[in-house]
Amino acid sequence: MERTSVGRCRHHFWYLVFTIFVLWFLFLYFFYSSSAIIGKNEVGLLAKNDATFGDNQELDSLHLEENSNEDVYSSDNVNDTKDADNPIDSFLKLGDWAEIADEILASEKQLEIRNNRARPGARRTQPVRKRPGTRHEEKPVRRRYSVKNRNRRFRSSPVVKRNENFAKQPQRTTYKPVVEKNPVTVNKPVVEPDPVYCKGKYIYVYRLPRRYNDDLIKHCRTLSEWTNMCEFSSNMGLGPRLDNIEKVYGNTGWFATNQFLLEVIFHNRMKQYKCLTTNSSLASAIFVPFYPGLDLNRYLWSSSTMKLKDMETFGLIRWLKQRPEWKKMSGRDHFMVAGRISWDFRRDSDNDFDWGNKLLLLPETKNMTMLVIESSPWHTNDFAIPYPTYFHPSTDEEVFEWQSRMRNQTRPFLFSFVGAARPNLPDSIRSELMDQCRSSKKCRLIECVKGFNKCYRPEYVMRMFQSSVFCLQPAGDSFTRRSTFDSILAGCIPVFFNPGSAYAQYIWHLPKNYTKYSVFIPDTDVKDRINIEKTLDSITKEQVEAMREEVIKLMPKVIYADPDSRLETLEDAFDITVKGVLDRIETIRQEINEGRENLSTDLAGEDSWKYNLFGNLEEHEWDHFFARPRIY
């Protein structure tokens, strides 16, 4: 009898528990349904604001489908702007119940704020949202919880996402989180150009369709399959700031700058140019702010067709030819920056999978002054300007302080080399140089190998250059190297093995008397087993001091100042480049006014390196270096 009573009580207890559980779920379902009806318009507003402040995912998807093979958005992430799932369903699917409750409370709070705004005379309870890209830009409002969006909670703009992923990579702990700078024209008074100073120096800048520049930065994730270009395109192209934990750099002005972001840096520096004009008829030169290197980088390493590689280039030329400014001199007063080496823009075939595009082979661009980080010795329409380095000072004092530090730097190693061998290139001397460095106690080597690679860690490279008297700069896949300018920045005397690596390239920025700042050892001598250590050791201490002082004087000429500022007494690489462009265009203009049929700038042909460097086509001891195209 007692056991029967206990059994009945137990049945009644479980009936009661089940009833309470059912009533609780019905209450929650009713609560959510009523909340969803009230907040329907609010959810739409939040979704609209999300689309404004985060990536425009519809546009991004269309762009990727048309122009890229990257599959950035998966099917699980397509329905981002729809109403959130039922929280009960999310709970049953192992969602975080506490987080779901927080999301519901937050949505109610947002609804209350919105209703308060709608009342006449109501006081604002929330600041007005700023436009993206401004200094006080707010973070996007977080979407309501759903299982599909659970892994996308922290996703906003590409730069923010890349920063978080970037910071998790142990090999890049020297980078600070990116803080995007304002455009240089924001909140700054408009200064009218000085008509006396600017006579013959006025530059007009085209306002191109956004797809030729700004949209490339906006869709930075499509620019490379393995390099985080969203990080590197931040800070107006300078990239993330570098920490100075190991005291390798100066205290300010140092950034993790990518060598292929010169187009963006130069464009932003142009916004600070003292003699800009909105009247093209007054302009001595016209700047075309196209980013051809970033455009091409999307397709270089993929199986894209030649049509895709050439599409934006041909579109730009069609746009330019319709402009009245172009018709004035057929583009001979136009100039453009292409932030890659010349060979990337000289595809001479119509095969889909051949390297590069045809930018520098078009008749229209042959009339323009094209600025690249490495020029062709056999063509007249491109000029080399320095690779961007890690140093972008804001004031003259930052430059003077760094120069003084490099003068007093202790240098325990005679010479050093950073790089990898080129076993597939028979003319390369890198393997011989690396063998000699390994066998010398006076040499320091950083070999670029797969895996943990110190070559891509600025602190390792700059520390080694700062501790070396000479830095070996052999050709690599092409004539030039960014390492040349990093070594100059470290006060290390560069050693060249081919005149095409510097002497015949940067004619506006480096002294024509190359013995003042560098050592030249012909690569044929290295093949003949010349001893690098003995050759460099034979240079007297006085000669070394004189060359180092010349290298230190070169520093301002090979760096690009911070686009958000302006150097006062020093000319940087940008200033020198603009002066070189203006001089060249003025020479062309005078020859046209004189009625010459053949311009001097078009006469050099295969010997253009000689004409640009020496002003004549006479026989020279370096002729054999340029007798045939030698791509290293």
Side-chain angles (χ1 to χ4, degrees):
M1 184 70 180
E2 183 177 356
R3 182 177 299 176
T4 304
S5 299
V6 171
R8 289 177 179 176
C9 290
R10 185 177 299 169
H11 284 296
H12 283 278
F13 172 77
W14 286 112
Y15 288 146
L16 179 62
V17 170
F18 178 78
T19 302
I20 292 173
F21 189 79
V22 170
L23 290 174
W24 172 247
F25 265 68
L26 290 175
F27 171 76
L28 288 178
Y29 184 79
F30 174 79
F31 174 81
Y32 174 74
S33 300
S34 60
S35 175
I37 294 172
I38 294 173
K40 184 176 181 180
N41 293 332
E42 179 203 2
V43 173
L45 178 63
L46 293 178
K48 182 179 180 181
N49 286 341
D50 258 356
T52 302
F53 283 85
D55 296 338
N56 189 331
Q57 298 187 5
E58 182 179 356
L59 290 177
D60 277 1
S61 299
L62 290 173
H63 178 80
L64 291 172
E65 180 180 355
E66 179 180 354
N67 292 333
S68 177
N69 295 324
E70 294 188 47
D71 186 13
V72 178
Y73 300 108
S74 64
S75 59
D76 292 338
N77 298 327
V78 172
N79 195 20
D80 285 342
T81 56
K82 291 185 178 181
D83 292 342
D85 295 341
N86 190 317
I88 297 176
D89 295 337
S90 299
F91 177 77
L92 293 176
K93 296 176 183 177
L94 301 181
D96 188 342
W97 176 250
E99 192 167 65
I100 297 170
D102 290 341
E103 294 286 345
I104 294 174
L105 292 175
S107 66
E108 291 178 347
K109 186 175 180 180
Q110 291 289 338
L111 179 61
E112 181 181 354
I113 292 172
R114 181 168 171 267
N115 290 336
N116 288 339
R117 286 179 179 174
R119 295 172 188 167
R123 185 179 179 181
R124 287 184 183 273
T125 57
Q126 190 176 8
V128 177
R129 188 180 295 278
K130 304 290 184 181
R131 292 187 303 168
T134 61
R135 187 180 298 276
H136 304 291
E137 176 186 352
E138 293 183 5
K139 293 181 179 179
V141 178
R142 208 168 89 182
R143 295 185 178 88
R144 298 183 68 177
Y145 183 87
S146 71
V147 174
K148 290 181 179 180
N149 294 332
R150 186 192 312 167
N151 296 327
R152 291 169 55 85
R153 291 197 301 269
F154 302 102
R155 186 170 184 176
S156 55
S157 67
V159 172
V160 175
K161 176 194 172 191
R162 296 286 181 154
N163 284 346
E164 292 170 356
N165 293 339
F166 199 65
K168 294 177 183 178
Q169 298 178 9
Q171 66 270 28
R172 296 188 179 179
T173 54
T174 58
Y175 294 178
K176 287 185 178 180
V178 174
V179 178
E180 190 69 41
K181 290 187 178 182
N182 283 344
V184 296
T185 55
V186 173
N187 297 328
K188 291 192 177 184
V190 177
V191 179
E192 292 295 329
D194 180 356
V196 177
Y197 173 82
C198 292
K199 184 178 181 181
K201 301 177 183 177
Y202 282 110
I203 293 179
Y204 176 80
V205 180
Y206 278 127
R207 295 187 63 181
L208 297 180
R210 292 176 59 89
R211 70 176 183 272
Y212 295 121
N213 42 48
D214 291 346
D215 283 352
L216 291 169
I217 300 301
K218 179 180 178 181
H219 301 290
C220 54
R221 285 171 298 174
T222 69
L223 297 179
S224 176
E225 295 184 9
W226 52 78
T227 301
N228 183 3
M229 298 304 288
C230 291
E231 287 286 343
F232 289 121
S233 61
S234 64
N235 285 326
M236 293 184 283
L238 304 185
R241 292 184 180 273
L242 288 170
D243 283 326
N244 195 24
I245 299 175
E246 301 182 19
K247 307 300 181 183
V248 178
Y249 323 113
N251 294 324
T252 56
W254 290 80
F255 299 81
T257 305
N258 185 280
Q259 65 179 348
F260 298 128
L261 263 295
L262 181 56
E263 299 154 350
V264 183
I265 297 171
F266 198 96
H267 185 195
N268 284 295
R269 284 284 281 114
M270 183 58 71
K271 295 175 184 178
Q272 283 281 59
Y273 181 62
K274 295 180 180 179
C275 299
L276 291 179
T277 179
T278 56
N279 185 353
S280 61
S281 63
L282 296 178
S284 298
I286 297 176
F287 178 57
V288 183
F290 176 37
Y291 300 163
L294 295 186
D295 168 56
L296 178 61
N297 200 65
R298 296 180 292 178
Y299 313 117
L300 273 179
W301 306 97
S302 66
S303 56
S304 300
T305 63
M306 65 175 183
K307 184 176 181 181
L308 276 178
K309 295 174 185 177
D310 294 329
M311 179 174 61
E312 299 296 0
T313 295
F314 290 165
L316 174 72
I317 296 302
R318 286 193 296 269
W319 187 90
L320 288 175
K321 291 174 69 175
Q322 295 174 0
R323 302 285 300 187
E325 294 86 358
W326 178 271
K327 298 175 182 178
K328 184 178 179 181
M329 291 181 63
S330 299
R332 289 185 174 86
D333 57 349
H334 287 48
F335 70 103
M336 181 197 302
V337 178
R340 298 186 66 90
I341 64 175
S342 178
W343 318 109
D344 293 341
F345 306 106
R346 294 187 179 278
R347 193 191 74 240
D348 59 358
S349 72
D350 290 328
N351 298 325
D352 277 343
F353 305 116
D354 284 353
W355 184 264
N357 67 18
K358 293 188 174 183
L359 174 67
L360 296 184
L361 297 180
L362 302 179
E364 293 81 6
T365 55
K366 288 181 179 180
N367 284 347
M368 299 170 62
T369 301
M370 304 295 296
L371 306 174
V372 291
I373 54 179
E374 175 183 325
S375 63
S376 164
W378 309 285
H379 299 87
T380 58
N381 61 322
D382 56 341
F383 292 82
I385 61 177
Y387 285 74
T389 64
Y390 301 115
F391 187 34
H392 306 280
S394 300
T395 64
D396 294 15
E397 287 69 26
E398 290 180 19
V399 180
F400 298 146
E401 181 181 350
W402 181 254
Q403 287 176 311
S404 177
R405 176 175 168 179
M406 291 301 100
R407 283 190 182 97
N408 301 318
Q409 183 74 29
T410 302
R411 302 179 185 273
F413 296 96
L414 177 64
F415 63 109
S416 62
F417 175 64
V418 180
R422 294 290 189 273
N424 58 321
L425 300 176
D427 289 332
S428 176
I429 59 170
R430 288 191 171 205
S431 296
E432 288 84 350
L433 295 179
M434 293 170 71
D435 290 341
Q436 290 201 37
C437 188
R438 291 190 190 97
S439 61
S440 172
K441 295 181 179 180
K442 297 183 178 181
C443 183
R444 189 176 180 187
L445 173 67
I446 293 182
E447 186 173 358
C448 300
V449 294
K450 294 182 179 179
F452 181 74
N453 200 333
K454 292 182 179 180
C455 292
Y456 300 105
R457 298 283 298 274
E459 67 271 24
Y460 285 100
V461 175
M462 293 303 295
R463 186 192 297 114
M464 192 187 77
F465 287 163
Q466 291 172 26
S467 64
S468 305
V469 177
F470 298 98
C471 291
L472 307 184
Q473 302 296 346
D477 295 321
S478 63
F479 285 118
T480 64
R481 308 180 73 205
R482 173 200 171 135
S483 176
T484 295
F485 301 99
D486 290 335
S487 66
I488 291 176
L489 195 58
C492 185
I493 301 168
V495 180
F496 297 112
F497 303 88
N498 189 300
S501 293
Y503 309 145
Q505 294 283 343
Y506 310 100
I507 58 175
W508 296 334
H509 300 80
L510 300 180
K512 289 186 178 181
N513 184 359
Y514 61 89
T515 60
K516 294 176 62 177
Y517 71 95
S518 68
V519 176
F520 179 61
I521 303 175
D523 52 12
T524 52
D525 291 353
V526 176
K527 287 288 186 180
D528 293 336
R529 309 303 297 176
I530 188 176
N531 190 294
I532 302 295
E533 179 182 329
K534 289 182 179 180
T535 302
L536 298 178
D537 233 350
S538 65
I539 302 175
T540 65
K541 184 178 180 180
E542 291 75 18
Q543 290 175 314
V544 168
E545 292 296 329
M547 282 191 286
R548 182 181 299 120
E549 184 60 28
E550 194 66 31
V551 167
I552 291 173
K553 290 179 181 178
L554 283 176
M555 288 180 183
K557 298 180 180 182
V558 300
I559 59 177
Y560 296 90
D562 191 326
D564 204 22
S565 60
R566 181 185 292 161
L567 302 183
E568 296 298 330
T569 63
L570 298 174
E571 289 187 332
D572 70 345
F574 170 84
D575 296 322
I576 295 172
T577 299
V578 170
K579 184 180 296 185
V581 169
L582 289 171
D583 290 344
R584 182 175 189 266
I585 292 175
E586 182 58 28
T587 299
I588 296 173
R589 183 178 288 111
Q590 290 178 2
E591 292 179 350
I592 291 177
N593 292 337
E594 293 172 1
R596 293 192 186 182
E597 295 183 2
N598 297 317
L599 303 179
S600 60
T601 54
D602 300 329
L603 297 178
E606 291 293 317
D607 293 324
S608 62
W609 67 271
K610 194 184 305 185
Y611 182 85
N612 292 332
L613 188 59
F614 305 113
N616 59 64
L617 302 179
E618 298 176 2
E619 186 177 350
H620 195 273
E621 61 179 322
W622 289 344
D623 285 345
H624 69 280
F625 286 103
F626 304 104
R628 58 185 178 86
R630 301 172 66 187
I631 307 303
Y632 291 84

